Amino acid sequence: EVQLVESGGGVVRPGGSLRLSCAASGFKFDDYGMSWVRQAPGKGLEWVAGINWNSGGTGYADSVKGRFTISRDNAKNSLYLQMNSLRAEDTALYHCARGGGYNHLDYWGQGTLVTVSS
Amino acid sequence: DIQMTQSPSTLSASVGDRVTITCRASQSISSWLAWCQQKPGKAPKLLIYKASSLESGVPSRFSGSGSGTEFTLTISSLQPDDFATYYCQQYNSYPWTFGQGTKVEIK
C-alpha cells in the first residue's frame, strides 16, 4: 500500500523558513517523480514543485520560484521542501504527492499545515 | 505557463443524472491531462490520467475524453458518493497547473 506521510508544518512569521518532509513507503521510491501540492483554506489545489526520479530535473510554480527548493533522498525514501522568505499567502495544507517529471500525480498524503502569520 | 480553465465552477445535479465537466488548456497539452476528485477534509483521489485512462479501482461510470486543448470528464449516472469537487490538471510541462475546480452539489 502506497503511503505518504508529511511532517514539518507549523506556524512561522513572515520572512521565516520551514522545511517540510515526506516519508514514502509501499512502492519503489526511486522509480517515481514526486511533487508538492498545496491548498490554501477554502481554495483549490495548487501544484507547488516537482522533481524527477533522480533529482535531474525540477520545476516550480511561479508563485514560489526562487524561494522554495524541492529535493529528495532516495536512500531514505524521503522528499523535502525547503521554504524560505515565507509570505502570508503561503499559508496552506501542503500535500506530498507521487508524480513528477514523466509520471502523473496518483497518490497524495494527508498533508501538513503551514501557517504564516505575525 | 499553461492556464487550465474549468466549467462550470458549480454544478447542481440529482442522483442518476449524466454530468459533464469541461476543462480547457491555454495551449496544447496533447493528452497529458488528469482528473481528480476531492471531498472535504480529504486528500485528492486520481480518477483519470492521460485524458481518458481510468485509474485502477475507479468506477466505470467515470470517463474522460479530449486532446490538445479541450477535455471533458463525464459521470454517466451520478451516485451519492460522487458529490465532491473535481479538478483537471495538466502535466505536459512544468510548471504543472490545476483548473480552479468544479463543485458537484446535490440538486
Side-chain angles (χ1 to χ4, degrees), chain A:
Chain A
E1 179 193 4
V2 172
Q3 288 202 333
L4 300 168
V5 180
E6 304 91 339
S7 61
V11 180
V12 61
R13 295 192 184 279
S17 298
L18 215 51
R19 189 194 196 208
L20 306 183
S21 299
C22 171
S25 60
F27 65 101
K28 194 170 185 301
F29 186 68
D30 55 8
D31 272 354
Y32 289 86
M34 298 293 294
S35 289
W36 289 96
V37 174
R38 70 184 180 184
Q39 189 166 33
K43 302 297 185 183
L45 299 171
E46 180 186 17
W47 179 86
V48 173
I51 187 167
N52 70 359
W53 66 277
N54 65 354
S55 303
T58 58
Y60 296 91
D62 288 349
S63 57
V64 308
K65 196 176 295 183
R67 300 187 299 123
F68 290 11
T69 302
I70 189 171
S71 62
R72 63 189 295 161
D73 184 337
N74 286 347
K76 295 183 177 180
N77 289 350
S78 293
L79 178 72
Y80 306 101
L81 186 68
Q82 178 65 44
M83 305 186 295
N84 298 331
S85 303
L86 282 160
R87 306 167 180 167
E89 53 265 36
D90 296 318
T91 294
L93 186 65
Y94 284 74
H95 298 274
C96 168
R98 190 174 81 170
Y102 301 106
N103 310 120
H104 58 273
L105 300 174
D106 60 359
Y107 286 94
W108 287 261
Q110 291 302 310
T112 186
L113 184 62
V114 173
T115 303
V116 185
S117 174
S118 55

Side-chain angles (χ1 to χ4, degrees), chain A residues 39 44 47 59 62 100-101 103 108, chain B residues 1 38 43-44 49 87 91 94-96:
Chain A
Q39 189 166 33
W47 179 86
D62 288 349
N103 310 120
W108 287 261
Chain B
D1 298 359
Q38 189 180 34
Y49 63 96
Y87 295 91
Y91 54 104
Y94 283 157
W96 291 1

